[in-house]
Amino acid sequence: MIRIALYSDTWACQSPLSCFSVIWSSRCSKTSNFPDMMRGYAPKPRKRCPIPFAKDPEGLVHSKVRRTPDRLVKGLSYIMEDEPDVNNGSQSLPPFGGGGQKRWFERGESFKLNTTMKVKVHCGFTRSSGAGMTIADMRYVKGCKKLFCFVMLVDEKILSLMKYRETVEEDIHGGLRAGIWRLIPLKHLPYNETRRNEEISKLLIHRLIPQAQYSIWVSSKMVLVADPLLILERYLWREGHSFAISQHGYHHSIYEEANASKRRKKYSRPRIDAQMKVYQSEGLEPWSTKKRVISDVPEASIIIREHTMLNNLFSCLWFNEVHLFTPLDQLSFGYVAHRLGEAFKYFMFPFCEFNSLFELHSHSWDRFEMRFGGEINVA
């Protein structure tokens, strides 16, 4: 049983459940001459509701929790070879996570499940595209199998800022720490888009920390205000779920979310349109009350999961959609769940409970530098 807390885009921590997020933006600056209402994003009061946590948290015996059996996916392995991408007779190494002309065919095959299935899929890292962890960091992560670990994932730019602000100390084992958090720098990040790099710590945590049994991913813009053990009991153990995520506050259909993303200029309109065109051609209908799920769109700022083989496969396939299309993961969650069908079951909890799990950071910064997501993993 391990408690692992991973944060990136962070520079200091005040307690095990809170940290400051390094997200610079001129729109957040208190020195700006434009009031919030004129910028069009005045904060609205968030609807909250009580979370039915266990009344006796001291009575939780997490060591006696039964793991979810892997009944469908019997084995999961990853394509590690760097397959060249053939283009006009020339060969070049593919992007992070594999690629080439085979990739599109393999994408379709990866969604086909059967009762004796042993799966081999693309899932980010290949032999020549690792996270660049040091030997000391890898040794520390392996030790998390026997204890609760709090690990903060950072990129090299954020680490440099933390060192400049003198919030980093070196422990007796040669590791870097910021308060309770063990810092693990991720090197050789593959994308030139920060938003896409964020998805590595968000969706590939089962590859970065393979010893983890459970994880809770929390966006770095938020401060978790609930005990992670109580969260696991409420959203997974109590009713036998293995994957939990919040409903979106406004949208149920990914096509609605796509239109909203274009209006808010979250990403390139042609790229969003191309992604939606593919999903529509592959049979994903707009959400309606006739569907088996209450929504196709999650609020993906908190993800609670048990690291079963099926959930790890789902995370790989979800990441592959981010890799192939846009880094807007809310657009691809419902599609991957749709392709896996009844095999992948998840608990989508009320949005008002999501609002009760956290507080937003209230810090201001003068300019935008970079954003690199945050994460708490408990296992």
Side-chain angles (χ1 to χ4, degrees):
M1 210 51 154
I2 315 153
R3 176 173 297 181
I4 306 171
L6 299 110
Y7 270 80
S8 38
D9 190 22
T10 343
W11 66 270
C13 294
Q14 296 296 309
S15 73
L17 296 179
S18 68
C19 70
F20 291 114
S21 172
V22 180
I23 301 179
W24 292 277
S25 176
S26 59
R27 71 179 187 177
C28 298
S29 174
K30 293 181 179 178
T31 60
S32 172
N33 294 324
F34 296 94
D36 285 346
M37 290 296 291
M38 294 181 65
R39 296 190 207 117
Y41 61 88
K44 297 180 180 179
R46 297 192 307 275
K47 182 181 178 181
R48 300 174 184 267
C49 57
I51 302 175
F53 284 135
K55 295 182 179 179
D56 181 21
E58 299 298 328
L60 292 178
V61 184
H62 53 269
S63 61
K64 295 184 179 180
V65 174
R66 296 184 62 183
R67 296 292 308 278
T68 302
D70 291 301
R71 293 192 176 94
L72 183 59
V73 179
K74 303 298 183 181
L76 179 62
S77 58
Y78 310 111
I79 297 173
M80 299 299 293
E81 294 76 20
D82 293 309
E83 300 173 0
D85 190 6
V86 180
N87 184 18
N88 296 326
S90 63
Q91 292 189 350
S92 60
L93 287 179
F96 180 72
Q101 294 179 345
K102 294 182 180 179
R103 182 66 182 271
W104 195 256
F105 170 77
E106 290 170 345
R107 172 181 175 269
E109 291 296 305
S110 64
F111 291 110
K112 298 178 181 178
L113 303 180
N114 58 66
T115 55
T116 59
M117 189 170 185
K118 292 186 177 180
V119 187
K120 190 172 185 179
V121 295
H122 285 287
C123 196
F125 302 105
T126 61
R127 296 193 191 281
S128 62
S129 62
M133 288 187 186
T134 66
I135 295 176
D137 289 339
M138 288 189 289
R139 187 183 299 116
Y140 177 82
V141 166
K142 288 180 180 179
C144 289
K145 184 180 294 187
K146 299 179 181 179
L147 72 157
F148 293 93
C149 298
F150 289 82
V151 180
M152 182 189 300
L153 295 178
V154 296
D155 66 4
E156 293 184 281
K157 190 170 185 179
I158 295 300
L159 180 61
S160 297
L161 175 66
M162 294 173 69
K163 289 180 176 179
Y164 174 77
R165 294 184 178 274
E166 300 181 348
T167 58
V168 177
E169 298 179 350
E170 185 172 330
D171 62 23
I172 60 174
H173 303 291
L176 301 176
R177 289 190 174 274
I180 195 173
W181 309 100
R182 170 63 181 264
L183 302 181
I184 295 185
L186 295 184
K187 303 176 182 179
H188 317 306
L189 293 173
Y191 302 112
N192 58 9
E193 296 176 80
T194 301
R195 181 179 291 178
R196 210 179 289 267
N197 281 328
E198 291 174 358
E199 301 297 322
I200 296 172
S201 65
K202 184 174 185 178
L203 303 183
L204 299 184
I205 194 60
H206 62 288
R207 300 215 59 195
L208 292 167
I209 315 288
Q211 291 79 14
Q213 297 178 17
Y214 298 90
S215 66
I216 303 173
W217 188 91
V218 182
S219 171
S220 57
K221 67 185 177 182
M222 295 158 27
V223 181
L224 198 64
V225 296
D227 187 320
L229 197 60
L230 291 178
I231 292 176
L232 290 177
E233 192 281 331
R234 159 67 180 107
Y235 296 108
L236 298 186
W237 301 338
R238 185 181 303 177
E239 298 180 9
H241 301 297
S242 66
F243 193 106
I245 196 166
S246 169
Q247 301 175 32
H248 194 275
Y250 304 100
H251 304 133
H252 292 82
S253 168
I254 67 168
Y255 301 109
E256 295 175 346
E257 177 65 17
N259 289 332
S261 297
K262 290 188 292 184
R263 289 195 303 270
R264 298 175 64 185
K265 299 181 180 180
K266 284 188 174 182
Y267 207 70
S268 162
R269 284 174 173 262
R271 294 293 296 274
I272 293 175
D273 288 338
Q275 184 176 3
M276 294 302 100
K277 186 175 181 180
V278 169
Y279 288 175
Q280 189 173 26
S281 69
E282 294 180 344
L284 180 61
E285 297 180 354
W287 182 87
S288 71
T289 54
K290 297 179 181 179
K291 287 197 170 187
R292 67 177 179 87
V293 295
I294 60 176
S295 176
D296 284 336
V297 183
E299 174 47 72
S301 296
I302 294 180
I303 304 174
I304 309 160
R305 56 199 150 184
E306 180 182 3
H307 288 199
T308 65
M309 289 188 186
L310 181 57
N311 287 345
N312 291 347
L313 172 63
F314 175 84
S315 296
C316 290
L317 299 179
W318 192 5
F319 178 82
N320 290 343
E321 295 302 296
V322 168
H323 173 79
L324 286 172
F325 295 108
T326 71
L328 306 179
D329 52 46
Q330 290 171 307
L331 299 182
S332 46
F333 175 89
Y335 168 79
V336 178
H338 163 73
R339 289 297 302 268
L340 293 180
E342 294 286 345
F344 179 69
K345 294 180 172 60
Y346 57 94
F347 174 37
M348 190 168 271
F349 55 89
F351 185 67
C352 62
E353 286 192 28
F354 163 80
N355 285 331
S356 299
L357 286 171
F358 69 93
E359 294 288 347
L360 288 174
H361 287 293
S362 58
H363 304 288
S364 300
W365 303 88
D366 291 332
R367 62 192 180 90
F368 175 82
E369 286 283 345
M370 76 181 302
R371 191 181 69 179
F372 188 64
E375 178 159 352
I376 289 184
N377 278 291
V378 182

